[in-house]
Amino acid sequence: MAALAAHHHRLLSFSAAAAPTPARHHRFSSLPSPPRPSTHGRFSPRGGALVLTRASGGGSTSSAAPAQEAATTASSLSLEELRRGCSTWTWRGMRVNYLARGQGPPVLLVHGFGASVAHWRRNIGVLSESYTVYAIDLLGFGASDKPTGFSYTMETWAELILDFLAEVVRRPTVLVGNSVGSLACVIAASESSRDVVRGLVLLNCAGGMNNKAIVDDWRIKLLLPLLWLIDFLLKQRPIASALDNLKDILLSVYGNKDAVDDELVEIIRGPADTEGALDAFVSTVTGPPGPSPIALMPRLAEVPVLVLWGDRDPFTPIDGPVGKFFSKLPSELPNVTLHMLPGVGHCPHDDRPDLVHERLLPWLGGLPPLPAPEVAGAAAA
């Protein structure tokens, strides 16, 4: 399934922003409304205006990089540890797999297309030292249900995230997403408030659920007939299931080739071989692209946002429509910080987790503190 996804992306070699699409109204608030002002005051980054910067540890230029990578490897969780730590939450009659680990302010990790909880193997251990880390398998992926005939949409995944926050986490949460997981987090944040989403971290955010998102870009317009043909071919199961050069494709997606190990191949291949996975893939690739981050991000002016972008991403390159939008966003929205990660591909958290942690941990530590929980039965004044 992941191999098929990469073939679909390779034909475009970039991700385009989706045309604005009305999202479903959720109980927290309606999508057209701007988010409510924070009850904790406006986020003011230390040092004033936010600026575009580069991470210090690109490639082999940083002498500290080997030590940082070794520390990250030491804190990585095995697949067995991750499986043992998972639980099941029932959402609308369907089983959703998730992991919870650590103590502290909550952080929810949302994987990208074809991935799962295990794709955060190199981050959960580090983050759980200071935070309560939740990681979720979106419906249709990982160990979550893959219901027959289900139509997957970005809005549905966003609703799942919001319901998970309301029913399981129950505290203001920082959402951290990669690729389409980032976009699902953006949609969820745009439908909620700071009482629900405390902050937003986007790792190479996708422009849509698939590459059919149409913008004023000549590359997309030229490829539309090819995209329609791909849609037809993907619906032919023998053709869709024949592509199987997964490791080579993962190597093309990662900047750090050493990160593409046998465990990563198992993380992607294992769930892709389960019943319903191919149908979920076909529905995702041939379905509507969903709301555009370009339309939604201006509505999140009260939410602290950290954007981390690998500059070797073949799916959402920084010179593509979505990359260009996010690269100029810090100059337009003072709540947004952007760091480029040199030599890093589409999945920065697994490609170079040391660079991600170098930027993510200080940013998390600089967020306004959560309000103290109310004590039941406290004496009245």
Side-chain angles (χ1 to χ4, degrees):
M1 183 173 70
L4 195 54
H7 274 278
H8 186 264
H9 281 292
R10 269 178 159 180
L11 289 166
L12 295 184
S13 75
F14 66 98
S15 178
T21 303
R24 302 175 185 175
H25 287 209
H26 197 273
R27 66 176 178 278
F28 287 115
S29 64
S30 65
L31 181 59
S33 301
R36 292 196 315 232
S38 167
T39 57
H40 312 305
R42 184 176 179 84
F43 173 65
S44 298
R46 289 169 290 185
L50 299 173
V51 295
L52 171 64
T53 61
R54 284 188 170 267
S56 60
S60 59
T61 60
S62 171
S63 60
Q68 291 171 327
E69 288 185 90
T72 297
T73 300
S75 62
S76 296
L77 301 180
S78 69
L79 298 188
E80 182 57 33
E81 285 180 288
L82 291 169
R83 291 189 187 103
R84 287 201 310 264
C86 285
S87 303
T88 300
W89 167 59
T90 301
W91 183 67
R92 302 180 183 178
M94 297 170 286
R95 294 169 300 176
V96 174
N97 183 63
Y98 76 94
L99 176 144
R101 183 185 179 98
Q103 292 185 339
V107 174
L108 174 61
L109 309 177
V110 184
H111 63 80
F113 186 83
S116 63
V117 166
H119 204 205
W120 302 99
R121 57 186 170 149
R122 293 174 170 148
N123 317 105
I124 292 171
V126 172
L127 291 172
S128 64
E129 293 175 6
S130 303
Y131 301 92
T132 301
V133 178
Y134 295 90
I136 195 169
D137 283 346
L138 293 174
L139 199 68
F141 298 107
S144 290
D145 278 351
K146 304 165 184 67
T148 302
F150 191 85
S151 295
Y152 297 91
T153 66
M154 293 303 312
E155 294 94 333
T156 299
W157 286 331
E159 290 173 6
L160 184 153
I161 290 170
L162 289 173
D163 287 340
F164 184 82
L165 296 181
E167 297 178 20
V168 179
V169 183
R170 302 181 181 180
R171 298 179 68 196
T173 302
V174 174
L175 302 181
V176 181
N178 172 229
S179 188
V180 294
S182 281
L183 180 54
C185 290
V186 169
I187 299 169
S190 73
E191 294 182 355
S192 65
S193 71
R194 284 288 301 278
D195 293 333
V196 178
V197 176
R198 179 171 170 246
L200 193 58
V201 181
L202 309 177
L203 307 173
N204 287 62
C205 184
M209 189 170 72
N210 49 52
N211 278 332
K212 294 192 299 180
I214 302 174
V215 295
D216 188 18
D217 189 295
W218 63 270
R219 293 172 291 188
I220 285 285
K221 293 177 179 178
L222 284 178
L223 288 172
L224 274 178
L226 179 59
L227 292 176
W228 293 330
L229 175 62
I230 291 170
D231 281 357
F232 171 77
L233 293 176
L234 286 175
K235 291 173 182 174
Q236 315 307 307
R237 293 184 65 90
I239 295 175
S241 60
L243 301 173
D244 194 29
N245 54 340
L246 180 55
K247 189 163 187 176
D248 287 343
I249 292 171
L250 289 170
L251 285 168
S252 74
V253 173
Y254 277 58
N256 174 21
K257 309 307 179 185
D258 291 338
V260 182
D261 52 16
D262 292 341
E263 191 173 74
L264 175 61
V265 173
E266 174 59 25
I267 287 170
I268 304 299
R269 188 192 302 278
D273 289 337
T274 60
E275 184 177 357
L278 181 58
D279 289 337
F281 165 74
V282 172
S283 175
T284 301
V285 172
T286 62
S292 164
I294 294 176
L296 297 180
M297 287 302 298
R299 304 177 186 179
L300 301 177
E302 298 294 333
V303 179
V305 179
L306 174 65
V307 180
L308 301 178
W309 208 280
D311 70 354
R312 299 285 181 86
D313 185 352
F315 293 171
T316 50
I318 196 62
D319 65 347
V322 177
K324 287 180 179 178
F325 168 77
F326 277 103
S327 68
K328 66 179 182 180
L329 200 57
S331 65
E332 300 174 356
L333 296 177
N335 60 310
V336 177
T337 304
L338 168 66
H339 295 294
M340 294 302 300
L341 305 180
V344 178
H346 186 63
C347 308
H349 59 291
D350 194 56
D351 190 325
R352 284 296 302 274
D354 55 309
L355 298 185
V356 170
H357 298 157
E358 176 185 322
R359 297 302 186 181
L360 175 59
L361 292 174
W363 183 86
L364 287 172
L367 292 177
L370 287 172
E374 294 182 4
V375 178

